[in-house]
Amino acid sequence: MDKVRIFEVGPRDGLQNEKEFIQTEDKVELISLLAGSGLSYIEATSFVNPKWIPQLADAADVVRLLPQADGVSYSALVPNAKGLQGAIHAGLKEVAVFMSASEAHNKKNINKTILETFPTLGEVVQEALSHGMRVRGYVSTVFGCPYEGEVALESVVRVTEELFKMGVYEVSLGDTIGVATPKQVKERLKALAGLFPKEQLAGHFHDTRGTGLANVYASLEIGLRNFDSAIGGLGGCPYAPGASGNISTEDLVYMLEGMGLSTGVQLQELVKAGAFIRNRLGRALPSKVLSAMAGSV
Ligand code: HMG
Ligand code: MG
């Protein structure tokens, strides 16, 4: 059966925007439930300035307490050498670097111009690789920027190319503020898949305007088989006003499995993870499948 790899970003992208601090043990319990559902790639946290992202200030503790499960890889976002040192010290074997295709979002998010970011990330990737780590790359604002509006395809190509040159194994293409629609997704991904191996590209869609799963479908038609999603449909980038949740992992798994694509994830178990974090947060979450199934798990 055709396989799709899901990269769970709920504990990082999902939680980073939550105002009230979630206890470290609850984060670890969530990750444990996610790993138990069959997800093999989980972004557990980020090693960024805690003044910028207070919710993930406990990154080192979360990593220290991660459940070690066979076949599960954990990763964390790192913006610079300090973040990488934190991740290495905590014992991670994989990290992700990130930057934007638009100047204004890059500046707001990591306080650097795009040109200034290349050498910083280049050094981070080199150092991580020299420690035998795997490094993933993110490009944000691929389909639109909250500050600049349209983003030129050339900017996306340039940043993607630089990340691959640095040595990342995959580039995740972010619709940071959930503005993309399937036609644009197809056009943009077709162009990118003509320049880079599509096996090394991932789709990272936010469902801010309800087009997230349709954009996954459009990406599947271009041949992408790697997607990021967040449990419950949690999420958003604090430096992208109006950016709400990532596509929900429950909804993504339901759709893919229904289409005959294998994800390796047990939906019933996944819904338990969604119900857990929904109960901890004390409010309904955007995931439709979670709402439909939570009563039955
Ligand atoms: P800066 O202020 O320019 O950093 O921030 P700096 O190097 O001038 O240092 C200032 C202070 O930050 C110093 O502390 C450093 O030690 C500290 P002080 O001396 O003032 O006490 N510092 C750090 N502390 C902990 N960990 C670190 C670190 N680095 C410096 N790694 C910086 C630059 C990049 C650090 C900051 O802008 C930052 O932390 N940004 C992170 C923003 C973020 O996490 N955004 C959300 C994630 S991206 C996203 O969601 C998009 C994505 O999902 C894809 C998509 O949807 O498109 C990935
Ligand atoms: Mg995101």
Side-chain angles (χ1 to χ4, degrees):
M1 204 191 315
D2 206 357
K3 283 191 182 144
V4 169
R5 202 199 56 160
I6 297 180
F7 197 95
E8 169 63 42
V9 296
R12 193 279 303 170
D13 206 351
L15 298 185
Q16 70 185 8
N17 222 14
E18 289 295 326
K19 300 266 170 311
E20 238 166 80
F21 189 75
I22 298 154
Q23 293 306 312
T24 305
E25 308 82 74
D26 288 335
K27 290 172 179 153
V28 172
E29 175 65 14
L30 171 66
I31 294 169
S32 178
L33 290 166
L34 291 167
S37 77
L39 285 160
S40 316
Y41 296 87
I42 302 176
E43 197 167 76
T45 186
S46 61
F47 288 84
V48 298
N49 186 342
K51 287 190 189 128
W52 288 54
I53 308 282
Q55 181 63 252
L56 303 181
D58 59 352
D61 290 332
V62 168
V63 173
R64 193 170 43 81
L65 296 168
L66 284 176
Q68 293 311 319
D70 276 351
V72 181
S73 302
Y74 296 112
S75 180
L77 225 54
V78 299
N80 52 20
K82 182 165 179 153
L84 177 64
Q85 284 316 314
I88 292 172
H89 197 249
L92 278 177
K93 301 274 181 286
E94 177 165 338
V95 288
V97 294
F98 58 105
M99 61 182 297
S100 313
S102 59
E103 272 309 337
H105 184 263
N106 202 64
K107 189 81 185 159
K108 293 265 188 203
N109 200 32
I110 51 175
N111 205 20
K112 280 189 167 50
T113 64
I114 288 177
L115 260 183
E116 287 164 352
T117 309
F118 289 144
T120 302
L121 295 191
E123 283 166 27
V124 169
V125 176
Q126 214 166 41
E127 178 73 8
L129 294 176
S130 78
H131 279 77
M133 300 170 91
R134 276 159 58 86
V135 189
R136 195 172 192 243
Y138 281 103
V139 184
S140 288
T141 62
V142 167
F143 302 93
C145 170
Y147 308 105
E148 295 176 16
E150 276 183 34
V151 175
L153 176 64
E154 295 72 50
S155 309
V156 178
V157 170
R158 176 165 162 252
V159 173
T160 305
E161 192 170 20
E162 288 295 330
L163 286 169
F164 276 128
K165 271 197 219 154
M166 288 174 203
V168 303
Y169 72 85
E170 177 174 288
V171 170
S172 174
L173 302 160
D175 183 18
T176 316
I177 50 165
V179 286
T181 53
K183 183 167 178 281
Q184 183 201 17
V185 167
K186 269 195 178 172
E187 286 167 3
R188 216 146 251 226
L189 293 186
K190 204 168 176 187
L192 290 164
L195 296 168
F196 309 102
K198 57 182 180 245
E199 303 73 31
Q200 289 173 256
L201 296 175
H204 178 106
F205 296 108
H206 285 255
D207 197 32
T208 318
R209 291 167 181 78
T211 53
L213 282 187
N215 291 335
V216 170
Y217 190 89
S219 313
L220 287 168
E221 294 212 316
I222 300 299
L224 263 69
R225 292 294 181 271
N226 303 304
F227 295 99
D228 303 351
S229 61
I231 189 73
L234 287 164
C237 173
Y239 298 98
S244 57
N246 294 79
I247 54 167
S248 133
T249 310
E250 301 92 313
D251 298 2
L252 178 65
V253 167
Y254 178 84
M255 183 180 90
L256 293 173
E257 294 282 340
M259 291 169 66
L261 293 158
S262 166
T263 62
V265 180
Q266 303 301 317
L267 191 54
Q268 293 277 341
E269 297 305 310
L270 189 63
V271 168
K272 286 184 194 162
F276 171 80
I277 192 64
R278 183 196 59 182
N279 293 343
R280 278 293 177 278
L281 295 173
R283 62 165 202 273
L285 299 181
S287 169
K288 299 265 197 265
V289 169
L290 176 62
S291 300
M293 287 181 64
S296 68
V297 294

